[in-house]
Amino acid sequence: MGKFILITGITLIVFSAIIFVVDLLPVDMFRDPSLGTYLKIVPSDSFSWSQYKIHTLVVGAVLLGLSKFTNLFSS
């Protein structure tokens, strides 16, 4: 169970780091390089993982800490 929590925590941290990096890229980076548009518009009634990047990072860090905590007392 500890390894599952560890892998899940690392996956969530990597996923949130990728979302942070993607948010720094221009919106139309591959279409028209002359116009650098950095404003991303997301409809308020739709679900987007980019809205939960901080939450994902925190949950991943908590799961990583929990896995280290459970490994400490499982021996």
Side-chain angles (χ1 to χ4, degrees):
M1 184 67 176
K3 288 184 181 181
F4 175 73
I5 294 173
L6 176 70
I7 291 171
T8 305
I10 290 173
T11 303
L12 287 174
I13 290 172
V14 168
F15 180 69
S16 64
I18 290 171
I19 292 174
F20 274 111
V21 170
V22 167
D23 274 348
L24 297 176
L25 296 174
V27 174
D28 294 329
M29 187 171 81
F30 298 110
R31 291 188 188 162
D32 188 9
S34 65
L35 299 173
T37 307
Y38 289 92
L39 181 62
K40 295 185 179 171
I41 300 171
V42 178
S44 62
D45 60 344
S46 69
F47 179 78
S48 174
W49 279 105
S50 65
Q51 296 173 350
Y52 298 102
K53 59 185 168 229
I54 295 289
H55 301 90
T56 310
L57 180 67
V58 169
V59 169
V62 166
L63 287 177
L64 188 66
L66 183 65
S67 73
K68 296 298 181 184
F69 184 73
T70 57
N71 286 340
L72 180 67
F73 290 110
S74 66
S75 300

